[in-house]
Amino acid sequence: TILILDFGSQYSHLITRRIRECGVYCELLPCTVKVKDLEFKPKGIILSGSPYSNHEEGAPHVDKQMFELGVPVLGICYGLQEVARVKGRGGEIASETGHLVQKREYGSATLNILGGAQRHELFDGFNGDQTRVWMSHGDHLDGLPQGFKVIGHTETSEYAAIAHEMDKVFGLQFHPEVTHSEEGAKILRNFAINVCECQSNWSMETFVDKEIQRIRGVVGETGRVIGAVSGGVDSTVAAVLMKRAIGDRFHAVLVDHGLMRLNESKNVKKVLDEQLGINLTIVDASESFLGKLKGVTDPERKRKIIGNTFIEVFEEQAKLIDAEQSEKIEYLVQGTLYPDVIESISFKGPSATIKSHHNVGGLLDTMKLKLIEPLRELFKDEVRKMGLLLGIPADLIWRHPFPGPGLAIRILGEVTPAQISIVQQADHIYMSELKANNLYNQISQAYAALLPIRSVGVMGDKRTYEQVIALRAVESTDFMTADWFDMPVKVMKRISSRIINEVHGVNRVVYDVSSKPPATIEWE
Ligand code: XMP
């Protein structure tokens, strides 16, 4: 295992990615973790970058004992400054010995690798003595800590890459983990495999096998597990994995809040129950949800009502299933992914709430269920890879994300059965056309929203006064930022004319050309 200590850089999770891509297992932990609290002995340690300046008050610092474990350490950017702070002249911290100076540098630079044919093993397999690297820092070293030598420099950074051969401690001023550093991935691979001597044996197949064994170990021979499914990728993959591990002792529950896409709960039944053989209960709770949403127009109130009602309905169902069985349900499965885990363990604390996303966390309190999170080590694309490996149909794997509160946050204003029907039909036409025109897979997320305003139109010889459908389509890698999709005009024309002709109550269609930020992906 390689231990990656996160000092809060926006690139920390990319280090994890690069290490895993070479088949080496790694864990990302907050930089404040102490050696005495580690649950494993790492074979190497990487210190990430940070938005802090090393001298700043409140700047995070590494437990110095990390350097006494006798394993190689690689500091990246801020991590390099931590290396200098700990290993600085006579062990004093850099600020006292004047090692750091402020000078901002951002962007591409050329790294000159020293040593010619004898260049450092971190640069094994490099194409030449020069390589493009990505700089993004405010501080840099102005002196070389004792015992270190320079193994690479750029025009502006004399100490862009340094090494302490005896102690196997290294520092890089640039970011090898970003793709702008052309051969950066090779450095991380060389560190993990050559320097730390880690084995390259992490693969999705072995991960699935190990995870199934782990689940069986946790749940035991008779234990029962329940989990909510939505028809989305994460909950489906988690469900199939549970089915593989414990068969029908896993119960999946789909709470149909009446705010799903057209025919969605039928489709989920077809795939999960009929194709994948999962023990599935569908609860039609639409009356309860719609009853509580009556007259509510505030987006946050809608979200809260749906979140709370979801927990109530799910819990009631869990108790019903529980009562039918001789063995109690003890566990709740959640499809938590690695980015959520990172968010919640970051030493900076979870970021500010922009919108309240809901989950079924509240269940743990009253039913005393223990949590199983089989996907907590995976990134989204790894979950997809696992899903394909588990035999889940490809069109489900490549589905766009769909928010928990469903169509309620895509119907601006009051949610009524008539409004739901309009948005379902419009959305169905939109998705069918995107698929028919081979655009669906180029888009990260697309949907139709129903606006609460009316506008004047003319149909035949008659004046109309009807609602507006807004079409949204975005491209995004992490849904934190997004750009609107450059939709071909021909396709837009067809979608618009079909919606206006086929969906009663709509006489106008608009396309949303806002990026995130400052807009969000959903309208509410
Ligand atoms: P926003 O609108 O915040 O959306 O830019 C970012 C991503 O999150 C999805 N989203 C949700 N997902 N529960 C969810 O499970 C929610 O309450 C929720 N709200 C937004 C949204 O569809 C987009 O993919």
Side-chain angles (χ1 to χ4, degrees):
T1 307
I2 295 280
L3 168 63
I4 300 162
L5 292 176
D6 177 20
F7 289 82
S9 152
Q10 53 176 332
Y11 303 135
S12 298
H13 69 283
L14 288 178
I15 306 174
T16 315
R17 287 309 300 259
R18 297 288 104 83
I19 297 293
R20 261 194 215 170
E21 277 161 10
C22 10
V24 170
Y25 185 74
C26 61
E27 287 210 26
L28 181 72
L29 293 178
C31 57
T32 44
V33 73
K34 299 274 178 280
V35 166
K36 62 177 170 49
D37 297 326
L38 285 182
E39 286 171 7
F40 58 96
K41 169 139 199 257
K43 292 190 84 168
I45 300 171
I46 298 179
L47 314 179
S48 83
S50 177
Y52 285 90
S53 169
N54 207 283
H55 290 326
E56 211 177 310
E57 205 181 322
H61 295 301
V62 64
D63 177 2
K64 287 185 184 175
Q65 287 186 6
M66 292 285 174
F67 288 78
E68 287 155 27
L69 286 172
V71 300
V73 178
L74 172 66
I76 295 173
C77 196
Y78 184 94
L80 162 73
Q81 289 143 28
E82 281 293 281
V83 163
R85 198 181 66 88
V86 177
K87 307 279 293 177
R89 283 168 208 149
E92 299 147 83
I93 68 163
S95 57
E96 289 161 8
T97 56
H99 274 344
L100 293 179
V101 291
Q102 288 259 348
K103 181 161 176 277
R104 294 195 60 78
E105 191 183 10
Y106 186 83
S108 209
T110 301
L111 180 75
N112 299 296
I113 299 167
L114 300 177
Q118 311 304 319
R119 60 183 169 227
H120 194 271
E121 64 179 327
L122 283 181
F123 302 117
D124 273 2
F126 268 55
N127 298 330
D129 289 338
Q130 289 199 324
T131 185
R132 302 296 293 167
V133 295
W134 186 255
M135 293 286 192
S136 173
H137 60 96
D139 295 330
H140 74 273
L141 293 191
D142 75 338
L144 193 61
Q146 215 168 38
F148 281 78
K149 66 172 187 193
V150 178
I151 55 174
H153 61 79
T154 68
E155 202 178 274
T156 46
S157 282
E158 204 180 330
Y159 311 111
I162 62 172
H164 191 302
E165 279 312 331
M166 273 265 287
D167 294 354
K168 296 237 175 277
V169 176
F170 314 96
L172 304 173
Q173 182 61 73
F174 56 92
H175 288 272
E177 68 276 25
V178 304
T179 47
H180 302 289
S181 290
E182 279 168 2
E183 296 178 280
K186 287 185 195 166
I187 298 181
L188 293 172
R189 163 176 272 275
N190 288 334
F191 177 72
I193 295 187
N194 300 350
V195 178
C196 303
E197 298 179 359
C198 287
Q199 280 182 0
S200 172
N201 55 9
W202 195 97
S203 72
M204 192 49 79
E205 284 84 353
T206 54
F207 180 78
V208 166
D209 288 345
K210 261 177 44 190
E211 195 52 29
I212 288 178
Q213 294 308 327
R214 190 185 73 86
I215 294 167
R216 286 182 185 153
V218 168
V219 177
E221 298 277 304
T222 53
R224 292 188 178 272
V225 182
I226 197 161
V229 288
S230 65
V233 186
D234 306 340
S235 64
T236 306
V237 172
V240 175
L241 195 66
M242 292 309 297
K243 158 90 187 169
R244 289 275 176 99
I246 59 166
D248 282 350
R249 286 186 286 130
F250 170 65
H251 303 258
V253 176
L254 175 82
V255 175
D256 183 351
H257 44 27
L259 301 159
M260 296 168 73
R261 287 192 151 130
L262 195 66
N263 299 326
E264 180 77 357
S265 79
K266 272 192 219 131
N267 292 337
V268 172
K269 185 172 163 53
K270 208 153 87 195
V271 178
L272 265 66
D273 179 7
E274 294 165 24
Q275 271 177 263
L276 298 167
I278 288 167
N279 193 356
L280 172 72
T281 306
I282 296 181
V283 197
D284 179 0
S286 45
E287 266 183 37
S288 165
F289 278 90
L290 298 189
K292 289 183 186 166
L293 285 170
K294 215 171 192 155
V296 180
T297 54
D298 177 66
E300 276 299 295
R301 267 198 71 207
K302 284 186 195 173
R303 283 171 177 276
K304 292 254 155 61
I305 291 171
I306 295 167
N308 294 339
T309 313
F310 184 93
I311 291 170
E312 269 169 41
V313 174
F314 185 87
E315 188 167 76
E316 204 174 296
Q317 194 57 44
K319 284 181 179 151
L320 284 178
I321 294 174
D322 206 27
E324 288 167 9
Q325 316 288 335
S326 50
E327 295 292 333
K328 292 264 147 244
I329 294 174
E330 276 181 82
Y331 295 92
L332 173 75
V333 166
Q334 275 192 352
T336 320
L337 304 193
Y338 203 51
D340 311 326
V341 177
I342 295 173
E343 171 97 341
S344 61
I345 63 164
S346 168
F347 72 96
K348 290 176 297 180
S351 52
T353 307
I354 311 272
K355 298 176 187 179
S356 43
H357 289 204
H358 85 258
N359 55 35
V360 287
L363 266 184
L364 295 172
D365 307 335
T366 46
M367 268 190 84
K368 308 237 176 323
L369 294 176
K370 287 173 259 178
L371 205 56
I372 299 186
E373 297 175 307
L375 312 180
R376 59 175 286 124
E377 289 177 14
L378 304 179
F379 290 98
K380 188 84 180 183
D381 60 323
E382 292 175 319
V383 173
R384 292 200 162 111
K385 212 166 135 191
M386 181 191 269
L388 290 170
L389 196 73
L390 291 170
I392 297 170
D395 56 341
L396 195 158
I397 294 295
W398 294 108
R399 286 188 95 172
H400 295 170
F402 186 73
L407 301 177
I409 57 168
R410 294 175 176 178
I411 294 167
L412 284 80
E414 191 185 356
V415 180
T416 64
Q419 297 281 281
I420 294 173
S421 170
I422 292 178
V423 84
Q424 277 179 335
Q425 292 174 61
D427 190 77
H428 184 70
I429 293 170
Y430 187 22
M431 294 307 117
S432 319
E433 288 298 332
L434 291 182
K435 285 176 187 161
N437 289 282
N438 291 323
L439 293 169
Y440 187 87
N441 288 337
Q442 294 175 43
I443 296 168
S444 308
Q445 189 169 5
Y447 68 89
L450 182 59
L451 307 190
I453 47 165
R454 281 160 194 270
S455 72
V456 174
V458 54
M459 221 174 222
D461 287 332
K462 277 213 212 96
R463 174 187 190 272
T464 58
Y465 188 52
E466 294 177 332
Q467 278 179 276
V468 184
I469 281 285
L471 303 177
R472 183 91 163 121
V474 296
E475 286 177 282
S476 174
T477 46
D478 55 8
F479 299 93
M480 301 295 290
T481 61
D483 231 330
W484 55 277
F485 181 71
D486 190 3
M487 184 80 70
V489 172
K490 207 175 100 226
V491 181
M492 272 206 266
K493 268 191 182 159
R494 183 167 164 81
I495 294 167
S496 155
S497 104
R498 276 197 63 192
I499 290 176
I500 292 171
N501 281 304
E502 296 173 35
V503 183
H504 290 292
V506 176
N507 66 359
R508 201 174 288 270
V509 171
V510 296
Y511 188 62
D512 182 348
V513 287
S514 338
S515 59
K516 173 183 180 175
T520 51
I521 294 173
E522 303 289 346
W523 275 54
E524 284 196 339

